[in-house]
């Protein structure tokens, strides 16, 4: 089995993780998370009376009187998330190319050129009587080409993340091409670096502008725009990942590559994070999508990858093996905060044929329970972003906007995961006890 995983999964996914653009997207996703957490906390404050109706009178006379003021923290984070994503992606991608290809690229220029290209795609255009004009349709809140939503310009929010990614890649690659071909204005060494960088990006900015103008023009002729075109493949991928089967594939891949020594969550969620952020915004708007925000750490991998919180508690207080008991006591506190590297590397769970099957099955079972609890509207979907180390129950409670039933579901997920581990762990514990006794006798 491990031979198969190494050949069929470790190789391809290991190479995928080394792709420059994947690493840049991973960095952009991580950099964007603090903004989503800050914005989400203010949203949770606003929806608390829905979870606790007895607070409604208090909130009406206090917080709701200034909600338009403090909710700016939400609308300028979740409502402009695509712009943050695009800026950081442009910066990180440029930095990686500069370091690894030995090119004189400025990450700041890469970030600005990326957001420049992205902003050029935001206005909606149409051809009327042979003339390209900006769309004006007050009935659907499109003013001079800009679609206005509840949180500002609609396309700056999570609906624009995928377009922001594509435009950042395009802008940085064109910037890279200009520098590699020396299509730049080179200033004397005496000129301050800030001024020199500004002139270095001048020709790339023109190249990017003309390229995006051509793309926009061709798509307008076809009666569409880049947002609608990109939505087709990414919409398909999003729908696939939001199905139960897609969810099972995600968690299978995460734990399959963990078993052979690669941080599966980092690789897979670097690709899935843009989707979970988009789903988070959709849930705030009234959707009911399970895989959103920190669904993973709130319900699935509670205790860390493999859903090991119950396993760690068993090691600490019930294991007979001295090795497992010591590991459990060392790891039990971090496990409550979804950190389980001591178990992954200490038990070890990697390359361990005795615990491989529950390592797969426990998170898949937890994901299934939470998925159907949200799908059948037993609990609310995730509407707020929580820090991933949030302890069991707290992430689920706050993430769902104060749904106490989500805490119950999170605890059930932990219990079911441990039940799956139990027969395997008991046998493995007994095996280690025998080995320790044999070693003592020798």
């Amino acid at each position: 089995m491990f031979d198969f995983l190494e050949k069929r999964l470790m190789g391809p996914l290991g190479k995928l993780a080394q792709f420059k653009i994947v690493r840049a997207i991973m960095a952009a996703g991580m950099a964007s998370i603090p903004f989503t957490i800050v914005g989400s906390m203010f949203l949770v404050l606003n929806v608390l009376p829905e979870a606790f109706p007895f607070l409604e009178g208090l909130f009406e006379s206090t917080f709701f009187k200034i909600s338009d003021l403090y909710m700016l923290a939400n609308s300028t984070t979740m409502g402009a998330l695509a712009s943050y994503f695009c800026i950081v992606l442009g910066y990180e991608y440029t930095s990686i190319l500069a370091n690894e290809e030995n090119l004189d690229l400025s990450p700041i220029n890469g970030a600005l050129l990326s957001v420049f290209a992205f902003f050029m795609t935001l206005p909606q255009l149409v051809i009327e009587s042979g003339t390209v004009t900006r769309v004006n349709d007050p009935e659907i809140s499109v003013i001079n080409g800009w679609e206005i939503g509840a949180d500002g310009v609609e396309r700056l929010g999570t609906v624009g993340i995928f377009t922001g990614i594509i435009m950042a890649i395009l802008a940085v690659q064109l910037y890279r091409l200009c520098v590699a071909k020396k299509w730049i204005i080179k200033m004397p060494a005496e000129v301050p670096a800030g001024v020199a960088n500004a002139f270095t990006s001048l020709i790339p900015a023109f190249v990017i502008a003309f390229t995006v103008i051509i793309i926009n023009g061709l798509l307008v002729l076809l009666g569409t725009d880049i947002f609608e075109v990109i939505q087709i493949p990414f919409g398909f991928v999003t729908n696939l990942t939001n199905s139960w089967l897609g969810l099972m594939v995600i968690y299978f891949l995460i734990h399959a590559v963990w078993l052979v020594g690669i941080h599966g969550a980092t690789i897979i969620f670097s690709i899935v994070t843009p989707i979970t952020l988009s789903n988070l915004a959709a849930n705030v708007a009234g959707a009911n999508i399970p895989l959103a925000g920190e669904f993973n750490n709130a319900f699935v991998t509670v205790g860390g990858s493999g859903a090991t919180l119950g396993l760690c508690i068993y090691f600490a207080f019930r294991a007979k093996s001295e090795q497992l008991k010591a590991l459990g006591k060392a790891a039990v506190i971090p496990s409550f905060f979804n950190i389980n590297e001591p178990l992954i590397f200490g038990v070890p769970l990697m390359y361990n044929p005795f615990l491989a099957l529950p390592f797969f099955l426990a998170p898949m079972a937890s994901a299934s329970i939470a998925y159907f609890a949200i799908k059948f509207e037993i609990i609310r979907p995730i509407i707020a972003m929580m820090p991933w180390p949030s302890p069991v129950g707290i992430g689920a409670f706050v993430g769902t906007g104060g749904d106490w039933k989500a805490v119950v579901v999170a605890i059930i997920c932990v219990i079911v995961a441990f039940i799956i581990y139990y027969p395997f762990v008991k046998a493995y514990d007994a095996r280690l006890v025998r080995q320790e006794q044999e070693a003592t006798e020798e």
Side-chain angles (χ1 to χ4, degrees):
M1 182 187 70
F2 288 109
D3 185 56
F4 170 80
L5 292 177
E6 284 182 333
K7 289 181 179 178
R8 303 300 178 190
L9 281 179
M10 184 177 177
L13 287 176
K15 290 178 181 177
L16 177 66
Q18 294 306 310
F19 286 169
K20 298 179 180 70
I21 186 58
V22 172
R23 286 150 53 200
I25 291 173
M26 189 186 310
M30 288 189 290
S32 302
I33 293 301
F35 295 99
T36 64
I37 293 173
V38 170
S40 293
M41 291 305 98
F42 288 93
L43 176 64
V44 169
L45 177 64
N46 235 32
V47 301
L48 271 180
E50 296 178 21
F52 303 102
F54 64 87
L55 294 175
E56 191 168 343
L58 173 63
F59 273 59
E60 287 287 352
S61 60
T62 55
F63 293 112
F64 288 166
K65 288 184 178 296
I66 57 168
S67 65
D68 281 350
L69 175 62
Y70 65 72
M71 282 299 286
L72 287 174
N74 181 267
S75 58
T76 55
T77 51
M78 296 302 297
L81 193 58
S83 59
Y84 298 121
F85 212 95
C86 182
I87 292 168
V88 179
L89 176 55
Y91 184 95
E92 292 291 342
Y93 193 27
T94 305
S95 180
I96 291 169
L97 291 174
N99 292 332
E100 298 184 10
E101 297 186 9
N102 198 27
L103 292 171
D104 187 19
L105 299 171
S106 166
I108 292 295
N109 284 350
L112 294 174
L113 291 169
S114 296
V115 79
F116 168 56
F118 175 50
F119 274 33
M120 285 187 67
T121 66
L122 296 180
Q124 298 180 32
L125 304 170
V126 67
I127 294 180
E128 293 180 348
S129 304
T131 303
V132 177
T133 60
R134 296 192 183 196
V135 175
N136 274 289
D137 192 344
E139 290 186 5
I140 56 173
S141 300
V142 179
I143 311 298
N144 203 25
W146 300 87
E147 183 179 357
I148 308 301
D151 294 326
V153 178
E154 191 72 19
R155 290 183 166 186
L156 281 177
T158 52
V159 297
I161 287 178
F162 297 123
T163 303
I165 290 172
I166 298 300
M167 299 317 295
I169 295 170
L170 174 66
V172 172
Q173 283 294 341
L174 289 174
Y175 177 34
R176 170 181 170 274
L177 175 67
C178 290
V179 171
K181 298 292 185 181
K182 301 192 183 302
W183 299 341
I184 54 173
I185 298 174
K186 191 71 174 176
M187 303 298 289
E190 296 79 14
V191 174
V195 177
N197 282 338
F199 278 92
T200 300
S201 64
L202 186 60
I203 292 176
F206 271 111
V207 172
I208 290 167
F210 283 121
T211 302
V212 178
I213 287 169
I214 292 169
I215 292 171
N216 283 345
L218 291 173
L219 292 175
V220 169
L221 285 172
L222 296 172
T224 185
D225 64 19
I226 193 166
F227 274 79
E228 294 181 3
V229 170
I230 287 175
Q231 182 57 35
I232 296 171
F234 282 103
F236 172 78
V237 173
T238 299
N239 290 333
L240 188 64
T241 56
N242 290 339
S243 67
W244 175 78
L245 183 60
L247 200 65
M248 294 301 97
V249 171
I250 288 171
Y251 283 103
F252 173 81
L253 291 175
I254 288 172
H255 294 88
V257 295
W258 250 130
L259 280 174
V260 288
I262 297 178
H263 199 305
T266 299
I267 296 174
I268 303 301
F269 273 101
S270 67
I271 301 167
V272 175
T273 293
I275 296 174
T276 62
L277 292 176
S278 296
N279 292 346
L280 182 70
N283 285 344
V284 172
N288 189 53
I289 305 171
L291 186 61
E294 278 296 342
F295 171 85
N296 177 55
N297 289 301
F299 297 109
V300 185
T301 57
V302 179
S305 293
T308 58
L309 179 59
L311 177 68
C312 189
I313 294 171
Y314 177 87
F315 283 165
F317 301 106
R318 300 291 295 172
K320 300 292 190 286
S321 162
E322 293 300 323
Q323 174 190 336
L324 296 183
K325 192 181 297 182
L327 277 169
K329 289 178 179 178
V332 69
I333 299 301
S335 283
F336 276 98
F337 297 92
N338 301 326
I339 299 168
N340 71 339
E341 275 72 10
L343 298 186
I344 295 282
F345 300 105
V347 172
L349 294 174
M350 293 188 311
Y351 287 101
N352 190 329
F354 302 99
L355 299 177
L357 190 58
F359 190 71
F360 276 118
L361 294 180
M364 293 172 76
S366 298
S368 298
I369 292 168
Y371 175 90
F372 288 112
I374 293 172
K375 206 70 176 175
F376 294 143
E377 300 185 9
I378 298 170
I379 63 173
R380 292 179 184 174
I382 300 287
I383 62 167
M385 199 75 175
M386 283 294 291
W388 64 265
S390 300
V392 57
I394 295 178
F397 179 76
V398 179
T400 55
D403 189 347
W404 66 268
K405 296 190 295 296
V407 179
V408 177
V409 170
I411 293 171
I412 290 172
C413 288
V414 172
I415 293 170
V416 169
F418 175 66
I419 290 171
I420 292 171
Y421 271 109
Y422 183 71
F424 297 90
V425 171
K426 196 172 181 182
Y428 186 61
D429 186 26
R431 182 176 184 274
L432 289 183
V433 168
R434 289 195 300 271
Q435 290 178 346
E436 289 169 358
Q437 289 174 345
E438 291 171 1
T440 302
E441 291 171 0
E442 290 177 0

